[in-house]
Amino acid sequence: MLKVGIDTLSFYTSHYALDLETLAMTRGVDLNKYHVGLGQRKMSVAAPDEDIITMAANAALRAIQHVDINSIEMLLFATESGVDQSKAAGIYVHDLLGLPERCRVIELKQACYSATLALQLALPFLRQHPDKKVLLIASDISRYGLETSGESSQGCGAIAMVLSANPRIMAFDSEYGVVTANVMDFWRPNYSNAAMVEGKYSSKLYLSMLEKTWKQYQALSGRNFTDHAYYCYHTPVPKLVEKAHLHLAKINGYSALAEDLLHDHIHYSLEYGRQTGNTYTASLYIGLASLLDLAKDDMAGKRVGFYSYGSGCVAEYFSGTVQPGYKKMLDTEYHQRMLADRTPLSYAEYETFYTFSYPEDGTNCEIPRYTLGRFRLAAIQDHKRIYETVS
């Protein structure tokens, strides 16, 4: 069967971050609640002139830099932070990047799962049209109320992947396990800017859906736990992933997974997430970027297991194999420099960013310049978002 999968990938996050030590001091909370209880260190905070579109365009600009853009015939944009109830966010990105006119564009929504659906929609298209490419983007801003239990897991970021036949980074296997259930563990009504979550219930569902989707995947693929060298999980918080992987090991007969094996399986995939916070649809694939960038061993020929979970809920288990020569296609230096160069926010600055609001009555608004990225949200005029490219 023709190989299809990831040809290039890059991720982007805000140039501003709040250290959870600052949040702990302000809230009067033991820092270990965040560092140990959540496994989280920092959270990226979007500036007022950043949104899912500017982050998406910045990530995609890197992903397409060595690709013939005339071969991109589809742009799939996954998000749960949509800026318009009608127009797809990808239309703005299509324009900012100067993509060809002959290009399908759509926005997909199902909590943190929709990027995986986008991936699965793209793969059959690429098998049928091996000379074409698909640009898949996942971009989100995770928001909970100030002083709520979810505040410390907020974050923002975007991942962009060019998908193709004969990919240079990862080829995906055809087998998968998938489960859907109508539950209310996490949601955001149209009238709310912040998500609502039943944290313990959501964590319980995350684990039960992992077991169900894994067993489907295992039955269809015939693969066992030890047939995967590495694992990537959707990461609301890193501690939940550690718990989930131990649970997966246990149901496969490994009741006491050695600390070094646990480290090898998931450690590298969690590092970028520890620094950015929850990025919703982008989270699983930022985890893949983290794994590919940071793993010490050569991963060529190694299989990676993927668990995608979107509250509400849809969950899927699938896998892929890293391709020979993948390191030449990575954006490792850019990713690490971007994370290292972020500006630390004081608590007051964080709250100023958090409480900034765009007009909803048609009032014109010029937005102050904060971002250091190539694209920014410059203004709101007559209910329209105005974006600009920064030289």
Side-chain angles (χ1 to χ4, degrees), residues 43-339:
M43 61 186 193
S44 290
V45 181
D49 60 344
E50 293 182 296
D51 65 5
I52 60 166
I53 291 161
T54 63
M55 291 191 299
N58 277 300
L61 184 67
R62 301 289 303 185
I64 67 173
Q65 61 183 332
H66 300 303
V67 172
D68 176 9
I69 64 170
N70 291 308
S71 65
I72 298 173
E73 203 162 283
M74 190 182 299
L75 193 167
L76 303 174
F77 195 119
T79 187
E80 58 178 285
S81 312
V83 300
D84 192 283
Q85 290 282 36
S86 180
K87 184 174 181 177
I91 297 287
Y92 295 100
V93 177
H94 177 277
D95 179 52
L96 288 170
L97 298 180
L99 296 181
E101 188 177 54
R102 180 182 166 87
C103 183
R104 294 185 174 108
V105 180
I106 196 75
E107 183 176 315
L108 301 99
K109 179 181 71 179
Q110 170 33 46
C112 303
Y113 167 75
S114 58
T116 297
L117 176 59
L119 175 69
Q120 297 291 17
L121 288 174
L123 299 183
F125 171 82
L126 293 168
R127 290 190 179 99
Q128 189 174 3
H129 304 280
D131 59 326
K132 305 299 182 184
K133 291 181 172 60
V134 175
L135 176 58
L136 193 166
I137 299 171
S139 182
D140 267 306
I141 297 173
S142 169
R143 280 176 63 97
Y144 303 95
L146 294 175
E147 300 188 62
T148 64
S149 59
E151 181 184 23
S152 54
S153 65
Q154 294 177 129
C156 66
I159 188 83
M161 301 179 280
V162 174
L163 307 176
S164 74
N166 301 310
R168 291 173 285 182
I169 293 179
M170 171 164 285
F172 289 103
D173 300 311
S174 59
E175 303 87 2
Y176 60 90
V178 64
V179 174
T180 294
N182 183 14
V183 294
M184 295 298 289
D185 60 324
F186 175 102
W187 68 102
R188 183 173 68 83
N190 286 339
Y191 51 78
S192 175
N193 289 323
M196 301 175 184
V197 60
E198 297 287 345
K200 291 183 179 179
Y201 180 44
S202 190
S203 295
K204 182 179 179 180
L205 283 168
Y206 182 100
L207 296 177
S208 64
M209 294 300 171
L210 169 61
E211 185 169 346
K212 288 180 179 181
T213 55
W214 166 265
K215 287 181 176 178
Q216 276 190 33
Y217 162 78
Q218 187 179 41
L220 291 167
S221 68
R223 299 186 191 104
N224 296 312
F225 187 70
T226 53
D227 292 324
H228 306 76
Y230 302 94
Y231 291 82
C232 287
Y233 290 78
H234 166 55
T235 309
V237 293
K239 194 66 175 182
L240 178 59
V241 171
E242 295 172 1
K243 183 178 180 180
H245 194 60
L246 290 173
H247 178 68
L248 184 63
K250 186 175 182 179
I251 65 176
N252 281 280
Y254 298 87
S255 57
L257 196 63
E259 187 67 28
D260 59 341
L261 192 55
L262 176 67
H263 179 279
D264 290 345
H265 280 174
I266 64 172
H267 170 75
Y268 300 113
S269 68
L270 295 177
E271 283 304 294
Y272 287 170
R274 295 188 196 278
Q275 302 299 320
T276 61
N278 191 356
T279 52
Y280 290 166
T281 55
S283 167
L284 174 62
Y285 301 97
I286 289 177
L288 174 61
S290 181
L291 170 62
L292 293 167
D293 284 349
L294 303 179
K296 298 293 189 288
D297 296 333
D298 184 359
M299 293 178 61
K302 301 293 180 63
R303 177 168 279 109
V304 180
F306 292 89
Y307 177 54
S308 181
Y309 178 80
S311 293
C313 72
V314 182
E316 183 165 339
Y317 207 95
F318 61 105
S319 62
T321 301
V322 181
Q323 298 301 289
Y326 72 98
K327 289 186 178 181
K328 293 182 291 186
M329 303 308 300
L330 301 182
D331 216 0
T332 306
E333 183 180 348
Y334 172 76
H335 294 159
Q336 294 182 343
R337 185 174 67 249
M338 174 179 60
L339 290 172

Side-chain angles (χ1 to χ4, degrees), residues 20-35:
L20 291 189
E21 184 174 354
T22 301
L23 185 64
M25 291 176 60
T26 304
R27 297 281 180 256
V29 171
D30 183 351
L31 182 58
N32 284 332
K33 180 179 179 180
Y34 301 151
H35 282 187

